[in-house]
Amino acid sequence: MTRPATRLLVAGVGNIFLADDAFGPEVIRALDRRPLPAEVRVRDFGIRGIDLAYELLDGYDTAVLVDAAVRGHQPGTLSLIEPELPDGGTGAAPPEAHGMDPAKVLALAAHLGDEPLPRVLVLACEPEVRPRGDDDIAPGISATVRDAVERAVTALHTMVPVLLADPAATPPLSRPDESTGPSAAGLPQPVAGGVEDR
C-alpha cells in the first residue's frame, strides 16, 4: 500500500511594520527567488492569526512557522524549535482570535478543530531591532536579520526534503540541547573567526 503524500506548510508570520518582526514575511519573499518543491504550501500570513489557525486545520502533516523570536541569543541567530502543542481541551475560555502570537494561534487552532494539529516547528530568528511601544512603526529589518533571511532560506531547503520524506524526522540542522523547551534545536550561525554560535 502506498503512503499518501506528505502535506507540508511553510508559513511566514510577523508584522512588516515592526522592524525585525518582519523576518517571517521576508523569508517567504526570498523563497520566491529560490522556491521550495511544488508540493509544499508556502504562504505569508503576516499578522493574520485566525487565517493561520484555520490553515493548520487543513490536514497538514507538518507546519514550519518562520518568525522572529526573542530567545536571548546573539541577533541573527537561527533556532529550530518544536513547541508543545495545546490539547484544545474543553471548558477553558476560547483563545484570542486576533493577533499573531504563535502560541495563541496554536491554542486557537486546537480550540477550533476536532482533529489533532500537525507537527509544528518554528524556524526562529533572534531580532536585533524591536519597536519599544505598541504605536511605534519601524518598517524595514536590520542588516543583521536581513543576512539571516538567506540563511533561513538555505535551512528550509535542507529541512524540507527531510520532512517530506518523514514528517516525524528531526531535520539534520538540529541540536536538541540548545534550550529548555520541550524540543528545541539551534541552527549554526557563522561568526568572526570561523566559530559557530549555536
Side-chain angles (χ1 to χ4, degrees):
M1 184 170 172
T2 314
R3 183 186 182 281
T6 299
R7 296 198 64 216
L8 177 60
L9 172 68
V10 174
V13 298
N15 190 327
I16 62 170
F17 298 110
L18 295 180
D20 288 345
D21 195 53
F23 172 74
E26 288 291 333
V27 170
I28 300 304
R29 280 184 30 177
L31 285 169
D32 286 343
R33 297 185 301 276
R34 292 175 59 195
L36 293 170
E39 64 265 37
V40 179
R41 172 95 158 112
V42 177
R43 186 168 172 205
D44 175 12
F45 286 88
I47 56 171
R48 298 181 317 277
I50 196 159
D51 290 350
L52 176 57
Y54 277 111
E55 187 76 20
L56 289 169
L57 300 174
D58 198 28
Y60 292 100
D61 296 287
T62 307
V64 179
L65 309 185
V66 184
D67 194 13
V70 177
R71 307 191 68 225
H73 297 298
Q74 180 180 353
T77 299
L78 297 178
S79 299
L80 184 64
I81 308 152
E82 185 166 4
E84 200 168 322
L85 295 178
D87 63 8
T90 58
E96 182 181 318
H98 302 287
M100 187 43 104
D101 177 325
K104 290 179 181 176
V105 170
L106 293 174
L108 177 61
H111 180 79
L112 292 171
D114 294 328
E115 298 297 318
L117 293 178
R119 179 187 189 200
V120 175
L121 300 171
V122 180
L123 179 59
C125 178
E126 185 77 29
E128 181 171 50
V129 177
R130 292 180 295 145
R132 292 190 189 96
D134 291 341
D135 296 329
D136 289 351
I137 294 179
I141 62 177
S142 65
T144 302
V145 170
R146 180 155 307 283
D147 288 344
V149 166
E150 286 305 318
R151 288 188 288 109
V153 169
T154 299
L156 286 167
H157 275 276
T158 302
M159 293 166 51
V160 161
V162 173
L163 293 171
L164 286 174
D166 179 3
T170 300
L173 299 175
S174 65
R175 236 189 105 187
D177 59 344
E178 190 234 355
S179 84
T180 58
S183 174
L187 301 177
Q189 172 181 321
V191 294
V195 178
E196 290 182 342
D197 174 24
R198 293 181 188 250

